[in-house]
Amino acid sequence: YFEEHHPGLALCEVTPKHIQDYYTYELTVRGVSANTVIHRHANIRKALQYAFKLGLIDSNPADRIERPKKEKFVGSVYEEDELNRLFEIVKGDPIELGVILGAFYGLRRSEVVGLKWDAIDFENKTIAIRHTVTACAEKGRRIEVAADTTKTASSRRTLPLVPAFQTKLAA
């Protein structure tokens, strides 16, 4: 952005307006979310703060920026016909049970993949959501990361094991 819109702009010439214009461009032209701009602001501010500490700039222009307001996440759910279509697509596929569990219990993909047999308590008829498995790239290779944590503390939960799933899992 800066090379295209402000060619040759030196670090010591960066003003709050330059940064604010960048944020406006990202939000309005590129269509990124306010949350993305907030994350970028944190990185820009930290980099400029380091330049300030080294004496490369007299002040941190990012300190005088009006950040956008954080957008509250609004989840969406599948309609009944969308769910039925999804279930038809995965019918007989090895991922069928995972998709059905995810849809019924509202589990994240990482929670479904992280389910272990010790999370199923047939005696008390519960499923404990305690583990996750996520995929990431490391040195160009795709790796899976298993963790005994969930995305948030409130994500650690115990759910009732409904009879239909108890039968399917016991089989």
Side-chain angles (χ1 to χ4, degrees), residues 76-169:
S76 60
V77 296
Y78 282 2
E79 299 290 329
E80 182 180 350
D81 60 320
E82 293 172 315
L83 270 177
N84 288 330
R85 185 165 175 259
L86 174 63
F87 295 155
E88 277 302 312
I89 291 169
V90 299
K91 193 170 193 140
D93 192 286
I95 67 167
E96 179 180 12
L97 180 60
V99 170
I100 294 170
L101 282 167
F104 183 82
Y105 288 109
L107 303 178
R108 296 177 178 94
R109 176 178 45 218
S110 61
E111 294 171 339
V112 171
V113 177
L115 279 174
K116 297 180 178 182
W117 278 111
D118 66 359
I120 313 296
D121 183 344
F122 289 104
E123 191 174 306
N124 293 312
K125 297 181 175 47
T126 60
I127 297 178
I129 309 303
R130 306 257 184 275
H131 310 283
T132 59
V133 175
T134 53
C136 65
E138 184 178 278
K139 297 179 184 173
R141 280 188 23 238
R142 186 180 188 280
I143 60 168
E144 292 181 353
V145 179
D148 286 336
T149 61
T150 54
K151 184 176 177 184
T152 64
S154 61
S155 295
R156 288 181 69 89
R157 57 208 187 275
T158 301
L159 305 169
L161 180 61
V162 297
F165 288 124
Q166 185 171 351
T167 303
K168 205 164 189 65
L169 290 168

Side-chain angles (χ1 to χ4, degrees), residues 33-87:
S33 72
N35 295 345
T36 297
V37 171
I38 290 168
H39 285 109
R40 291 182 184 168
H41 173 73
N43 289 331
I44 290 169
R45 192 196 162 286
K46 189 171 184 176
L48 291 172
Q49 190 62 31
Y50 184 67
F52 172 67
K53 284 182 181 178
L54 291 178
L56 300 174
I57 55 178
D58 295 329
S59 66
N60 186 342
D63 285 340
R64 300 192 312 254
I65 297 298
E66 189 72 33
R67 290 183 341 163
K69 298 287 182 233
K70 188 171 176 121
E71 296 169 354
K72 196 164 176 85
F73 173 77
V74 178
S76 60
V77 296
Y78 282 2
E79 299 290 329
E80 182 180 350
D81 60 320
E82 293 172 315
L83 270 177
N84 288 330
R85 185 165 175 259
L86 174 63
F87 295 155

